[in-house]
Amino acid sequence: MDKPSEQKSTHHVVIIGGGFGGLYAARTLNKAPVRVTLVDRRNFHLFQPLLYQVATGILGPGEITAPLRHILRKQKNAAVLLGEVVGFEPSRRRVILADGNIDYDTLIVAAGMKNHYYGHDAWEKVAPGLKSIEDSAWIRQKIFFAFEVAEREPDPEKRRAWLTFVIVGSGPTGVELTGMVAEIARESLKEDFRSINPRESEILLVDAADRMLPAFPPELSEHARSTLHDLGVQVRTGVRVTDIDEQGIALEGSSGKQRIASHTVLWAAGVAASPLGRMLAEKTGVQSDRLGRVMVSPDLTVPGHPEIFVIGDMAHLPGKDGNPLPGLAPVATQQGRYVARGIERRLSGEKQEAPFSYFDKGTMAVIGKHAAVANIGRFRFGGITAWLMWLFIHLLLLINFESRLVVFVRWAFSYFTHSRGSRVLIATGTLRLPISGTGNNESPETPG
Amino acid sequence: MDKPSEQKSTHHVVIIGGGFGGLYAARTLNKAPVRVTLVDRRNFHLFQPLLYQVATGILGPGEITAPLRHILRKQKNAAVLLGEVVGFEPSRRRVILADGNIDYDTLIVAAGMKNHYYGHDAWEKVAPGLKSIEDSAWIRQKIFFAFEVAEREPDPEKRRAWLTFVIVGSGPTGVELTGMVAEIARESLKEDFRSINPRESEILLVDAADRMLPAFPPELSEHARSTLHDLGVQVRTGVRVTDIDEQGIALEGSSGKQRIASHTVLWAAGVAASPLGRMLAEKTGVQSDRLGRVMVSPDLTVPGHPEIFVIGDMAHLPGKDGNPLPGLAPVATQQGRYVARGIERRLSGEKQEAPFSYFDKGTMAVIGKHAAVANIGRFRFGGITAWLMWLFIHLLLLINFESRLVVFVRWAFSYFTHSRGSRVLIATGTLRLPISGTGNNESPETPG
């Protein structure tokens, strides 16, 4: 893998994963006397916080992604390697790729999270989560396709199942998806059909927790619930999912069991660390938690392996309140910068930094037009102020200026016209309607 | 299919295909005393003239598509039906769909063209053409993936095959693709790689005709050739393709046979009418030409069936010079408007319009930055004037204003920075590198 022309003597930092953690680590190593190799299965960085807008047709995939090579093109000590990591050999300081090996002096593992269905593999086939760009294409397909089938379905009961949307999980992602589905049904599509009225769709948000947005203070949960209620969404908390299949979802709560017929169940109820977490933990003899996150030392190294860091969503590190730090972009970004600075200090012989400490600038969730909740330090607020703040911050965080401008244009249009410029069902090939109106062939298929 | 609530007595116009012909026919029937059903397999209208920019990463798919339902949402006499036509029963005035039937009083068939490999089905698997949005995703994947593989390929000869790009067919599409591939290699990617220099790529444009852009006047062909030459493209005319496979392309010309090793061969050498053309011709007992186009009467009806029109790329109608009218958006648009007006006249008892006559506003092809050729009436020119004119006209023709603005932003960025905002390889799932560097698994695969 290493080419003879390169200086083998230069300290080699290998970073696995081009998400927030990995990318910010690479960039912070800009001036360090190292060579950096960023390995990713994909050729792009994904701005995950806006993924739900791709899933709901506001943005196109190109607007929240940026090629890793392009981001790092000026950083001459960094190279990007498109490859899939399949194993580790910590004793030889080697990472095994599907098609070769790569040796490191320091390793940063930042491979992120994937959807997690708590062992119900069958649910994964019918209820897409929202972690990858493909997930977002599948969700978009499911949502808009459901209205198409309903338009052609003469049987009222079957039609109702196509116009029922269930979102499982009421964290920020679930709430954002729900708000968007409500806006699609109530506004974006209101004039588009002839046999159905999209406004008659039923939209449910369910969660096993006893209130929605459980990570937020109770008053913001209540604010979000009443905002969603005004958008015509039924919020059901304290309700457990017992089954999901192509025909609907089974729920169980204090008021008993219920089955809801729906062809569009979306999953925002759980994520787990990339399998690389468990793999690395086994090889290094350290512990991982029940979500597969690696239990790291306070300086984010793997215990016993000061040359291996695990950062971002894959790392289990207790925060000030004793709970593990949440899987948020700001945590990953700060950790990426922290380990990069740590590596630089080590190489220059300075003493180590203090343990990593997360600076919490606050958390927000968007519910719908003019509506969001924000929990920032001692300030807790909702409504249009939170919403404007959310818009502004997310625009600024987009990594390239072109995307920023395009996203701004799309948001402005979507705001004034309710249009969805990217409603088009592309990534998943030609739509095929089920013959009977009840079949299910809306899973992604191969184009070309 | 028809619902009892609809007025069965209203004259029912069924339009097959939501391209330029079908869509403009539907819109022109806005005020007519008819009900219109527009049937398409896809939920969107595609602005085909800019498809090559999606294939080369300048634009995203959402920017050149618009949902048919959304375009027609205000037109209360029109409905959109997502469905696949599989046959005709002209005697019963019925169209057979994959999942039902639909009856018409008047039928407009406008199902367009598909890629045509002159019987070489195997070529279709390796050399994508550029007719659909999936084609454009596949081409994008092939182009950018080739550089990724080359970056990791140590063998110089194999590397060279990954950095060789062959475009077959030197009509406007072939020229536009070639110009874009040249710009990607020479400018967009010049800083992105560490082991290869994308500028060393070889780009070939081949055509069996004795000059490129054969439909344009010779001086414009010569202008285009010298512009491409300046971009480092080899243009080979008078050269026939005898084979294409995963390893390269075999050519035969006056100077003998030659094989070129290349993993990226793009096909812009032929299109043929949708199979619905032949199907309809058989059922109505009329002739179709060798490209499967229906030989229509001067008023665009099928001879013997005044209630069936065929328009756009699928229709074979001789122009003023005796040759069939070309498969261009303006031809389809004018024909769509013509037949819609004809239907209105018939229903109001007015006499028929004069035979269809194409008003040729001219043709253009873009070669690269600041370079295009235009053939407009007696005026023939190239260079920056033609290029600016092309930009301006194509921006204006985009069907919705949001796209127009976004495309303008993207073009401006691409102009000043050579960036390609949509370089990201999404529609086709996770990239997998071939183990050996010579395998070929870059065909589109299923996400999720």
Side-chain angles (χ1 to χ4, degrees):
Chain A
M1 192 65 33
D2 293 327
K3 276 174 299 304
S5 64
E6 283 170 358
Q7 292 167 285
K8 298 287 281 186
S9 57
T10 311
H11 189 93
H12 189 199
V13 180
V14 171
I15 303 174
I16 300 172
F20 286 100
L23 186 58
Y24 280 83
R27 282 160 62 124
T28 310
L29 288 167
N30 189 16
K31 308 268 188 220
V34 297
R35 60 194 177 94
V36 176
T37 303
L38 178 60
V39 184
D40 201 302
R41 283 185 303 171
R42 314 299 301 266
N43 71 332
F44 54 86
H45 169 71
L46 173 64
F47 191 74
Q48 200 105 30
L50 290 179
L51 195 54
Y52 77 96
Q53 297 210 351
V54 176
T56 53
I58 296 271
L59 300 179
E63 276 127 51
I64 62 159
T65 49
L68 290 168
R69 287 192 190 290
H70 194 71
I71 301 172
L72 294 173
R73 72 192 180 287
K74 305 272 188 199
Q75 187 173 330
K76 293 305 177 201
N77 72 349
V80 174
L81 188 71
L82 205 63
E84 181 154 13
V85 175
V86 296
F88 299 95
E89 286 186 37
S91 56
R92 303 172 70 172
R93 303 201 172 180
R94 174 170 288 180
V95 173
I96 318 296
L97 305 180
D99 53 353
N101 307 318
I102 182 163
D103 295 344
Y104 57 83
D105 297 302
T106 300
L107 177 67
I108 303 174
V109 184
M113 291 280 214
K114 59 182 188 56
N115 296 313
H116 183 47
Y117 292 84
Y118 304 101
H120 300 280
D121 292 343
W123 300 3
E124 189 171 354
K125 304 264 191 303
V126 284
L130 188 60
K131 287 305 284 178
S132 70
I133 211 86
E134 286 79 13
D135 288 343
S136 72
W138 185 14
I139 290 177
R140 181 193 290 188
Q141 166 100 345
K142 275 187 93 79
I143 294 171
F144 290 104
F145 189 61
F147 291 102
E148 294 290 343
V149 183
E151 171 85 348
R152 291 190 58 184
E153 177 59 64
D155 182 299
E157 201 181 317
K158 289 180 181 170
R159 191 188 278 207
R160 194 183 163 90
W162 284 107
L163 291 178
T164 300
F165 300 84
V166 183
I167 294 93
V168 183
S170 73
T173 300
V175 170
E176 283 159 355
L177 267 178
T178 307
M180 280 281 169
V181 172
E183 200 181 306
I184 289 169
R186 310 281 180 247
E187 292 297 336
S188 307
L189 298 184
K190 68 181 176 193
E191 297 182 304
D192 285 18
F193 292 88
R194 299 293 178 257
S195 310
I196 57 164
N197 182 353
R199 292 183 168 195
E200 286 164 12
S201 309
E202 289 198 52
I203 302 158
L204 275 80
L205 176 61
V206 303
D207 199 310
D210 59 356
R211 62 182 173 89
M212 57 175 292
L213 287 174
F216 284 67
E219 63 263 42
L220 291 184
S221 298
E222 191 42 45
H223 182 91
R225 178 195 276 268
S226 84
T227 309
L228 282 177
H229 183 262
D230 295 346
L231 286 170
V233 174
Q234 293 179 47
V235 179
R236 299 207 194 151
T237 47
V239 167
R240 225 161 44 82
V241 175
T242 55
D243 194 30
I244 308 175
D245 60 27
E246 292 180 358
Q247 307 307 319
I249 182 166
L251 302 173
E252 196 176 310
S254 54
S255 56
K257 295 184 183 185
Q258 192 192 2
R259 221 193 119 77
I260 295 164
S262 164
H263 299 296
T264 318
V265 178
L266 308 180
W267 184 258
V271 286
S274 152
L276 292 183
R278 285 235 155 86
M279 217 182 276
L280 179 67
E282 266 171 38
K283 287 285 183 181
T284 52
V286 305
Q287 283 197 296
S288 57
D289 69 10
R290 71 189 168 86
L291 296 180
R293 293 178 292 192
V294 179
M295 314 291 274
V296 291
S297 307
D299 65 353
L300 296 168
T301 56
V302 171
H305 285 273
E307 79 285 7
I308 305 179
F309 295 89
V310 180
I311 62 173
D313 294 2
M314 281 184 73
H316 178 123
L317 181 73
K320 284 166 195 154
D321 60 359
N323 294 321
L325 290 172
L328 296 172
V331 175
T333 305
Q334 290 177 29
Q335 291 183 340
R337 291 205 185 103
Y338 171 88
V339 300
R341 281 193 310 258
I343 291 166
E344 247 186 301
R345 278 174 183 244
R346 260 189 217 177
L347 292 176
S348 64
E350 289 174 63
K351 75 170 175 49
Q352 296 301 303
E353 276 192 301
F356 176 76
S357 143
Y358 172 50
F359 177 62
D360 183 357
K361 294 179 191 160
T363 47
M364 310 178 86
V366 159
I367 309 161
K369 189 178 275 196
H370 298 179
V373 290
N375 181 30
I376 296 170
R378 290 177 317 160
F379 300 101
R380 287 152 193 200
F381 53 102
I384 193 164
T385 322
W387 182 74
L388 284 172
M389 205 159 138
W390 183 95
L391 288 181
F392 183 70
I393 289 173
H394 282 80
L395 263 188
L396 282 189
L397 287 174
L398 277 172
I399 206 152
N400 77 62
F401 189 70
E402 177 181 355
S403 289
R404 232 176 270 171
L405 209 61
V406 170
V407 168
F408 179 77
V409 170
R410 292 221 186 274
W411 283 358
F413 267 89
S414 163
Y415 180 86
F416 289 111
T417 67
H418 302 288
S419 82
R420 291 178 179 258
S422 292
R423 238 165 80 185
V424 167
L425 308 175
I426 288 163
T428 48
T430 305
L431 278 179
R432 294 227 188 94
L433 290 166
I435 302 290
S436 66
T438 55
N440 186 302
N441 55 359
E442 78 271 43
S443 63
E445 55 184 49
T446 303
Chain B
M1 193 62 33
D2 293 327
K3 277 173 299 300
S5 65
E6 283 170 358
Q7 291 168 286
K8 298 286 283 187
S9 58
T10 311
H11 190 94
H12 188 199
V13 180
V14 171
I15 303 173
I16 300 172
F20 286 99
L23 186 57
Y24 279 83
R27 283 161 60 124
T28 310
L29 287 167
N30 190 17
K31 307 267 188 222
V34 296
R35 61 194 177 90
V36 176
T37 303
L38 178 60
V39 184
D40 201 302
R41 285 184 303 170
R42 315 298 301 265
N43 71 334
F44 55 85
H45 170 72
L46 172 65
F47 192 74
Q48 200 105 31
L50 290 179
L51 196 54
Y52 78 98
Q53 295 208 353
V54 176
T56 52
I58 296 271
L59 300 178
E63 276 128 51
I64 61 159
T65 50
L68 289 167
R69 287 192 190 292
H70 194 71
I71 301 172
L72 294 173
R73 73 193 179 285
K74 304 273 188 200
Q75 186 172 332
K76 293 306 175 198
N77 72 350
V80 173
L81 188 72
L82 204 63
E84 180 154 12
V85 175
V86 296
F88 299 95
E89 287 186 35
S91 56
R92 304 172 68 174
R93 301 199 173 181
R94 175 169 288 179
V95 172
I96 318 295
L97 305 181
D99 53 353
N101 307 318
I102 183 164
D103 295 344
Y104 57 83
D105 297 303
T106 300
L107 177 66
I108 302 173
V109 184
M113 291 282 212
K114 59 182 188 54
N115 296 312
H116 183 47
Y117 292 84
Y118 304 102
H120 300 280
D121 293 344
W123 300 2
E124 189 170 355
K125 305 262 191 306
V126 284
L130 188 59
K131 287 305 282 180
S132 70
I133 212 85
E134 286 77 14
D135 288 344
S136 72
W138 185 14
I139 290 178
R140 182 193 289 188
Q141 166 99 348
K142 274 188 93 78
I143 295 171
F144 290 103
F145 188 62
F147 291 101
E148 295 290 344
V149 183
E151 171 85 348
R152 292 190 57 185
E153 178 58 64
D155 181 299
E157 201 181 317
K158 290 180 181 171
R159 189 188 280 207
R160 193 183 165 90
W162 284 107
L163 291 177
T164 300
F165 300 85
V166 182
I167 295 93
V168 183
S170 73
T173 301
V175 170
E176 284 159 355
L177 268 177
T178 307
M180 282 280 169
V181 172
E183 200 181 304
I184 288 169
R186 310 282 180 246
E187 292 297 335
S188 308
L189 299 184
K190 67 182 175 193
E191 295 182 307
D192 285 17
F193 292 87
R194 300 292 179 256
S195 310
I196 57 164
N197 182 355
R199 292 183 168 194
E200 286 165 10
S201 309
E202 288 198 53
I203 302 159
L204 274 81
L205 176 62
V206 302
D207 199 311
D210 59 356
R211 61 181 172 93
M212 57 175 292
L213 285 174
F216 284 67
E219 62 263 41
L220 292 183
S221 298
E222 191 42 45
H223 181 90
R225 177 195 276 268
S226 83
T227 309
L228 282 177
H229 183 262
D230 294 346
L231 286 169
V233 174
Q234 293 179 46
V235 179
R236 299 209 194 151
T237 48
V239 167
R240 226 161 44 82
V241 175
T242 54
D243 194 30
I244 308 175
D245 60 28
E246 292 181 357
Q247 308 307 320
I249 183 167
L251 302 172
E252 196 176 310
S254 54
S255 57
K257 296 184 182 186
Q258 191 191 3
R259 224 193 117 77
I260 296 165
S262 164
H263 299 297
T264 317
V265 178
L266 308 179
W267 183 258
V271 287
S274 152
L276 294 182
R278 286 233 157 87
M279 217 182 274
L280 179 68
E282 265 170 38
K283 287 285 183 181
T284 52
V286 303
Q287 283 198 295
S288 58
D289 69 10
R290 74 192 164 85
L291 296 179
R293 294 178 293 193
V294 179
M295 314 291 275
V296 291
S297 306
D299 64 353
L300 297 167
T301 57
V302 172
H305 286 272
E307 79 285 5
I308 305 179
F309 295 89
V310 180
I311 62 174
D313 294 3
M314 281 183 74
H316 177 123
L317 181 74
K320 283 166 196 154
D321 59 359
N323 293 322
L325 290 172
L328 296 172
V331 176
T333 305
Q334 291 177 29
Q335 291 183 340
R337 291 205 185 104
Y338 170 88
V339 300
R341 281 194 310 258
I343 292 167
E344 246 186 301
R345 277 174 185 245
R346 259 187 217 176
L347 292 175
S348 63
E350 287 175 66
K351 75 170 175 47
Q352 296 301 302
E353 277 192 299
F356 175 76
S357 143
Y358 171 51
F359 178 61
D360 184 358
K361 294 178 191 161
T363 46
M364 309 176 86
V366 160
I367 308 160
K369 189 177 274 195
H370 298 176
V373 290
N375 181 29
I376 297 171
R378 287 178 318 161
F379 301 100
R380 288 153 192 198
F381 52 102
I384 193 163
T385 322
W387 182 75
L388 284 171
M389 205 161 141
W390 183 95
L391 288 181
F392 182 72
I393 290 174
H394 282 79
L395 262 187
L396 282 188
L397 287 175
L398 277 172
I399 206 152
N400 77 62
F401 190 69
E402 177 181 355
S403 289
R404 233 175 270 170
L405 209 60
V406 170
V407 168
F408 179 78
V409 169
R410 292 221 186 273
W411 284 358
F413 267 89
S414 162
Y415 181 84
F416 290 110
T417 67
H418 302 288
S419 83
R420 294 182 175 253
S422 293
R423 238 166 79 184
V424 167
L425 309 175
I426 287 163
T428 48
T430 305
L431 279 179
R432 296 228 187 92
L433 291 166
I435 302 289
S436 65
T438 55
N440 185 302
N441 55 359
E442 79 270 43
S443 63
E445 55 183 49
T446 305

